[in-house]
């Protein structure tokens, strides 16, 4: 069983808890038993002390009664009266033997020993006997414990009266083993009488219920003064623990002591409970085993479903959602399994949906770009596995779809894309061919195991099919397409390369209007040049290689300079001066023109602010491209620049071409309205060359029309140009707009425009585009031509 598994941890935890609980209970019970046993022993010792004292008293009473019997004997009293010492000694010996007295003597009232059964009585015995007689006085007798030699004796003194006290009978009885044995039987206590040796050299065991070896150990323990001083003492004898109580019995004048040691074995007291402890220990072991088995079963019931859940989770992680999970339980594990099964089903459904979203176009139901790339990779692998194998792709972009979408709406455009997808799917000529929608109005066709001639045949077939108008929502739509072709292995060995090159060929086909173009490496050469030009444009902006040029703009009536048109020029560090026609169209195509517009407005705003600080109010015009008008952030960008230079929007005029407006009229109008609301003056540049309608012109928030120079430059010689200019001036004025003429290159044209009522003009006659410093010099040098009389009017 591995410890890192949850099942092992549960079992281990349960076993540890059971063992801890059982051991805690076992220890608590054992401690309680030991504590209760010691308490019971202490009480038993106190009671035993009382019993032992009472036993000594009873024994003394019995001995006193025996001595009184002798004292009342008439013959004994007669022998005392006659001082028959032989008879007295004989009677003392005989009677003492009958009642167990080992020592007997007769003491006169004068305190002298008149007879004794001991040839040489012990000095301590004599002294103790005389003291006992004095203590008895006029009483009927007395008893006392005394130390004689190394033994404990009970001595009794009884008066002999006739009728007055004529002598005392003193008898000594040794405290023998019988007495302590009786005490043992009465109380179950071990009893030992210990007597200290003369001179304090140690203790001896007088009598004891203990074995001799244990009695010797007891003597050694009692030799400790701390033990003798304690009311209760814990003793270690022969590996057994005893609780003992010391009872002082006698103390001789020479310092000898006699004590009774009452002791109870703790082991014996606990012995009746040892069976209970064994039973508890057995229960503990069985409890641990049973708990381990129960915890193992419970852990398995918990972990088995979890293992199933883990297995299902692994399958889910591997993308296998087929096999379900069924845990028939009503507890939390069952609810978890049910929730997990619900999650599996929902993930499976969501995975299907995600796969569909990731690999399928939602509008047409065709494969999307991601799935098409995967299919192309598979086709390349299959073609590479066959000698001479090949595959081709067609990439197609619809013509005029954006206009259809803008005019008829996005819903119509979506329906149109669905019909195109269905028509393409019906035009496939080869088995295994796949149609995909890559995005917007771009479609692609995969032709596995088809050569270039077959791909061209398929492309022509599709173009012919698209020549048939599509009828949709009571509208008939004519669509065309540009198709690019690339193939393996001629044009690349991987899907990304083939897609990229097919897209390049498609854009060439659309730009040239040639219908179908097969990829050619020469196409990429121009693409590389374009990419290089874009990189150079970015570096030029970073290195400040662009220069701001200004062309003067004048009031034709007064000849006063009112501002200028801002233009950009590029001074390349290697190629030198580069004209705008060489990079502006490319900048518009790539979107870089937006960065140029921001750069130009920044420069113009700084110049305008500097001139205003000098007291010169000039209005400068800045051109906006199609990309600028489609940038929803353009107004916010312009506002930030104006705030930075503390300039009002009225100081600038923004020029927009007709074609820029008509690319996306709705978004262009939205942007222009926001700019106009900010206070910018708006101008339609190159008016007359585009294809805008007067309806749009009326709705746009413009302030100015600029007549294209193609009509102005030769109007003095060409009456048709003059008529167009005159009509445009009248149209602008009727709409409330200011009219500006471009291309004023002679005084005659100036005069004609002034006579037609044209408001402003710009052209080489007044000044060519020039750097800022030259423009400032020109301001001081400019002189307007003399005004002609109206009689000299040469206007049409």
């Amino acid at each position: 069983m591995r410890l890192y598994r949850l099942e092992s941890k549960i079992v281990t935890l349960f076993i540890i808890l059971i063992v801890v609980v059982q051991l805690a209970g076992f220890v608590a019970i054992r401690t309680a038993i030991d504590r209760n046993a010691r308490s019971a022993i202490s009480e038993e010792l106190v009671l035993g002390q009382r019993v032992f004292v009472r036993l000594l008293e009873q024994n003394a009473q019995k001995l006193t009664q025996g001595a009184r019997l002798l004292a009342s004997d008439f013959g004994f009293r007669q022998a005392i009266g006659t001082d028959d010492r032989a008879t007295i000694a004989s009677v003392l010996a005989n009677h003492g033997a009958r009642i167990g007295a080992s020592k007997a003597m007769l003491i006169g009232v004068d305190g002298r020993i008149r007879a004794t059964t001991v040839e040489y009585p012990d000095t301590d015995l004599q002294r103790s006997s005389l003291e006992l007689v004095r203590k008895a006085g006029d009483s009927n007798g007395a008893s006392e414990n005394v130390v004689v030699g190394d033994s404990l004796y009970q001595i009794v003194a009884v008066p002999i009266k006739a009728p007055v006290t004529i002598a005392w009978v003193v008898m000594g009885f040794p405290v023998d083993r019988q007495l302590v044995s009786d005490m043992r039987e009465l109380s179950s206590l071990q009893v030992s009488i210990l007597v200290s040796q003369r001179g304090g050299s140690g203790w001896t065991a007088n009598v004891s219920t203990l074995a001799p070896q244990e009695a010797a150990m007891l003597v050694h323990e009692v030799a400790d003064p701390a033990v003798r001083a304690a009311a209760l003492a814990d003793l270690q004898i022969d590996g057994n623990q005893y609780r003992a109580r010391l009872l002082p019995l006698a103390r001789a004048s020479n310092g000898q002591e006699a004590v009774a040691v009452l002791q109870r074995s703790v082991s014996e007291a606990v012995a009746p409970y040892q069976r209970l402890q064994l039973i508890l220990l057995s229960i503990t072991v069985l409890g641990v085993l049973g708990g381990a088995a129960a915890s193992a079963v419970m852990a398995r019931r918990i972990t088995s479903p979890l293992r199933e859940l883990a297995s299902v989770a692994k399958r889910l992680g591997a993308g296998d959602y087929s096999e379900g999970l069924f845990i028939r339980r009503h507890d939390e594990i069952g609810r978890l399994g049910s929730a997990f099964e619900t999650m599996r089903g929902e993930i499976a459904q969501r995975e299907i949906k995600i796969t569909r979203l990731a690999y399928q176009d939602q509008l047409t139901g065709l494969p999307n770009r991601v799935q098409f790339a995967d299919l192309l990779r598979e086709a390349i692998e299959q073609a590479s596995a066959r000698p001479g194998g090949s595959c081709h792709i067609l990439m197609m972009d619809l013509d005029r779809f954006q206009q259809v979408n803008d005019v008829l709406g996005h819903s119509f455009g979506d329906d149109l894309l669905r019909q195109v997808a269905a028509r393409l799917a019906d035009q496939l000529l080869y088995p295994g061919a796949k149609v995909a929608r890559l995005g917007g109005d771009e479609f692609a066709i995969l032709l596995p195991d088809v050569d270039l001639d077959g791909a061209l045949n398929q492309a022509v077939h599709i173009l012919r099919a698209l020549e048939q108008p599509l009828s949709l929502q009571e509208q008939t739509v004519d669509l065309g397409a540009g198709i690019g072709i690339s193939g393996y292995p001629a044009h690349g060995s991987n899907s990304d390369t083939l897609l990229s090159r097919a897209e390049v060929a498609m854009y060439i086909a659309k730009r040239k209007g040639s219908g179908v173009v097969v990829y050619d490496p020469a196409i990429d050469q121009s693409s590389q040049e374009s990419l290089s030009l874009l990189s150079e444009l970015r570096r030029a902006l970073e290195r400040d290689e662009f220069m701001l040029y200004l062309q003067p703009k004048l009031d034709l009536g007064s000849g006063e300079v009112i501002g200028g048109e801002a233009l950009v020029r590029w001074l390349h560090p290697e190629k030198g001066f580069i004209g705008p026609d060489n990079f502006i169209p490319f900048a518009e195509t790539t979107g870089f023109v937006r960065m140029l517009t921001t750069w130009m407005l920044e420069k113009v705003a700084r110049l305008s602010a500097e001139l205003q600080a000098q007291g010169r109010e000039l209005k400068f015009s800045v051109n906006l491209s199609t990309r600028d008008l489609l940038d929803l952030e353009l107004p916010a960008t312009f506002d930030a620049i104006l705030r930075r230079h503390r300039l009002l929007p009225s100081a600038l005029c923004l020029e927009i071409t007709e074609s820029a407006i008509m690319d996306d009229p709705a978004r262009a109008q939205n942007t222009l309205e926001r700019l106009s609301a900010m206070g910018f003056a708006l101008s339609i540049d190159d008016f007359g060359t585009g294809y805008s309608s007067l309806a749009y012109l009326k709705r746009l928030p413009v302030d100015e029309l600029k007549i294209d120079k193609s009509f102005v430059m030769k109007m003095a010689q060409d009456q048709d140009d003059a008529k167009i200019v005159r009509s445009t001036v009248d149209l602008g004025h009727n709409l409330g707009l200011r009219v500006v003429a471009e291309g004023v290159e002679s005084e005659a044209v100036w005069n004609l425009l002034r006579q037609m009522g044209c408001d402003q003009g710009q052209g080489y006659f007044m000044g060519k585009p020039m750097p800022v410093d030259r423009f400032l010099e020109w301001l001081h040098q400019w002189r307007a031509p003399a005004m002609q009389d109206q009689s000299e009017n040469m206007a049409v």
Side-chain angles (χ1 to χ4, degrees), residues 338-350:
S338 177
F340 209 90
E341 173 62 17
T342 302
M343 181 185 71
R344 183 198 64 81
E346 291 179 353
I347 290 177
Q349 293 296 323
R350 191 157 54 247

Side-chain angles (χ1 to χ4, degrees), residues 17 36 39 69 118 161 215 221 255 386 398 424 459 473 511 535 599 603 617 627 683 689 713 728 764 782:
L17 289 176
N36 291 337
S39 177
L69 182 62
V118 181
K161 295 184 178 182
E221 292 284 334
R386 296 188 302 272
L398 300 177
L424 291 176
Q473 299 180 13
R511 188 163 68 242
S535 299
W599 174 86
K603 295 289 186 181
E617 297 286 343
R627 297 283 188 139
S683 175
T689 60
M713 291 174 64
T728 304
Y764 282 15
W782 165 251

Side-chain angles (χ1 to χ4, degrees), residues 598 600-606 608-609 612 620 622 634-654 674-675 677-681:
T598 303
M600 184 174 290
L601 190 69
E602 182 78 36
K603 295 289 186 181
V604 170
R606 181 183 296 119
S608 182
Q612 285 186 10
F620 293 104
V622 177
L634 183 70
T637 303
F638 283 7
D639 182 63
I641 294 174
L642 294 177
R643 289 178 181 275
R644 188 157 53 247
H645 296 287
R646 300 179 181 178
L647 197 66
L648 294 176
S650 59
L652 300 175
C653 179
L654 304 178
R674 292 171 62 191
L675 292 170
M678 292 172 63
F680 287 104

